[in-house]
Amino acid sequence: MEYRTLGRTDIRISEVGLGTWGMGGDRYGRADDAESRRALLRALELGINHIDTAPIYGNGRSEEVVGNAIAGRRHEVVLATKVGMFPGGRQNFDYSGATVMREVEQSLRRLRTDYLDIYFLHSPDEELYRDDGLGALVRLKEQGKIRATGFSVMSVEEGIPMAMRLIEQGDVDVIQQAYRLLYTLPSQELFPLAQARNVGVIARENFYFGFLTGAITRETVFDDHDDRRKFAPAFIAAVLARVEKLKFLTEERTMTQAALQFVLATPGVHGVIPGAMTVAEVEDNVRASGGNPITAEEMAEIMALEARDYDLPSIPPPV
C-alpha cells in the first residue's frame, strides 16, 4: 500500500481508503454487520488506514459498525465522517454552526472516539450552505475535536465554483469530490486550484454506483434495499455502453482496479474511498495500489473518450 500526505495537513492516508456507505444497509442492498466488520478488519490488515463514513449512511448504522470494528485500534485509523444531511430529504438538511457542534458529539459517540481526523460538511448547495457551519468546523479544530476541516462538494457541476470559493477563503483543509472514469470535469479547474493552495483532495464515487466494477449487467436485479432498482433501463443501458468502451483498460487489471488507478493518476488527488461491503471487495480494491498504473497513452484515450461522449441521462444526485 502506498501512502500520501493530505495537502497541508500532517495526515498521511493510504491512497486506497474504504468508503462505508454500503455498510449502512440502505443504499446498495442489505448489509451484514458481521461481514462489514470482517471487511473493515481486513482493510486494516492490508494497509488501508483511511475510513470514510457519515451519519446518514443507514441513519447512524455505518458509523456504529465502523466504531465497533476499530475499537482498540483507533490509533491506526484516519477517520472521516460528515454532517448536515438527515433522513427525510433536503428539507431536513442543516449545515448551521449549532447543528455542527451538536452532531459532532453524536458521531463521536457512535464511532467510540474522542476526536475525528476529518469532519466534512456533507455536500451542501449554495442555498443551504452556512458560513457559521464552516466556522464551527474551525472551532472544533481549535478545540482538538477534529484534526482537519472538510468540505464535501456537490456531485453536480454547480458545486465546483462553490468549492473553489471556499478553497480561496482558506478555511478548508480537505475537499471531497466525485471523480471517476465518466466524470473528469473536476480535474480541469478544481483540482489544480486545490493543488496550488495545498488543500487535500479525496475522490469519492469512484465506481459510479458500482457500474465501474464490471459486476453490473443489463440482467442485474437489485433487491428492495438497493436504490439502484429505481434507475431507468435507459440510464443503465447508457452507462453500460460507456463502460464497454473502457474495456481496453482491463487487459492486465480488473475494471475495479482500472477505475481506481485512473483516479490516483490524476494530479492533485491524494486518495480514493471506494465502497466495499465484503472482504473480497476490499481485497480487490487494495490491488489498485501499485500493480499496473494507468499509462500516459491510456490516460489520453480516456480523456479523448470523455471529450467525445460526456453526456449521460440524468439521475438524482448521490449523497
Side-chain angles (χ1 to χ4, degrees):
M1 177 63 68
E2 300 294 327
Y3 298 84
R4 305 182 184 188
T5 300
L6 195 52
R8 62 179 174 241
T9 76
D10 61 355
I11 301 171
R12 279 186 68 76
I13 61 169
S14 52
E15 63 179 11
V16 177
L18 176 57
T20 62
W21 190 355
M23 293 179 186
D26 63 346
R27 181 72 181 193
Y28 290 109
R30 290 179 176 84
D32 178 332
D33 289 350
E35 180 63 13
S36 295
R37 176 183 176 85
R38 287 190 288 270
L40 285 156
L41 294 178
R42 183 60 172 153
L44 296 181
E45 289 175 1
L46 295 174
I48 289 177
N49 74 346
H50 178 205
I51 297 175
D52 179 271
T53 185
I56 200 170
Y57 300 165
N59 196 21
R61 180 179 176 184
S62 175
E63 285 189 327
E64 289 177 349
V65 168
V66 170
N68 289 334
I70 67 172
R73 303 182 66 172
R74 174 67 181 91
H75 62 287
E76 299 178 39
V77 177
V78 174
L79 188 57
T81 192
K82 311 174 188 76
V83 63
M85 287 189 174
F86 297 92
R90 187 176 181 277
Q91 67 271 17
N92 293 330
F93 296 174
D94 184 351
Y95 303 91
S96 66
T99 293
V100 170
M101 300 302 286
R102 180 186 71 245
E103 290 299 315
V104 71
E105 301 300 334
Q106 300 303 313
S107 287
L108 291 172
R109 177 184 58 79
R110 287 188 290 264
L111 289 163
R112 302 176 64 177
T113 184
D114 57 3
Y115 74 98
L116 301 169
D117 294 285
I118 315 167
Y119 200 31
F120 291 96
L121 294 185
H122 199 168
S123 303
D125 59 24
E126 286 281 7
E127 182 179 350
L128 293 176
Y129 171 74
R130 298 289 180 269
D131 285 334
D132 68 328
L134 184 55
L137 295 187
V138 174
R139 292 198 301 278
L140 289 171
K141 184 178 176 182
E142 292 169 348
Q143 294 170 6
K145 289 191 175 181
I146 70 174
R147 294 175 65 194
T149 61
F151 186 82
S152 178
V153 185
M154 292 176 60
S155 296
V156 295
E157 288 83 341
E158 289 79 359
I160 293 177
M162 183 180 180
M164 294 177 69
R165 185 183 76 241
L166 295 177
I167 290 171
E168 292 277 16
Q169 289 174 195
D171 287 332
V172 175
D173 297 320
V174 184
I175 62 167
Q176 192 181 98
Q177 168 68 53
Y179 185 68
R180 57 189 175 257
L181 290 165
L182 310 180
Y183 181 69
T184 61
L185 185 66
S187 66
Q188 298 172 23
E189 292 184 277
L190 179 59
F191 291 173
L193 177 63
Q195 193 172 23
R197 297 292 187 273
N198 205 16
V199 169
V201 173
I202 303 298
R204 71 172 191 271
E205 298 171 33
N206 314 121
F207 296 148
Y208 199 51
F209 307 103
F211 288 100
L212 287 168
T213 65
I216 297 175
T217 70
R218 295 190 185 195
E219 288 71 45
T220 298
V221 177
F222 301 109
D223 73 33
D224 58 3
H225 284 247
D226 195 319
D227 276 3
R228 293 172 294 183
R229 73 189 186 281
K230 303 173 185 176
F231 291 175
F235 171 79
I236 293 174
V239 176
L240 290 176
R242 288 286 301 277
V243 173
E244 187 64 29
K245 296 178 183 179
L246 297 167
K247 291 293 180 65
F248 70 91
L249 297 170
T250 62
E251 291 184 6
E252 297 184 353
R253 53 175 90 82
T254 66
M255 180 58 76
T256 294
Q257 292 155 19
L260 297 180
Q261 288 169 349
F262 163 75
V263 178
L264 291 170
T266 303
V269 172
H270 296 96
V272 293
I273 47 170
M277 297 172 65
T278 68
V279 168
E281 290 170 349
V282 167
E283 291 173 343
D284 193 26
N285 292 347
V286 165
R287 295 187 188 101
S289 185
N292 297 294
I294 296 291
T295 66
E297 293 76 15
E298 289 172 329
M299 183 67 77
E301 190 167 348
I302 292 166
M303 301 307 280
L305 172 63
E306 181 83 0
R308 292 194 305 269
D309 189 19
Y310 174 76
D311 291 332
L312 287 170
S314 63
I315 58 173
V319 297

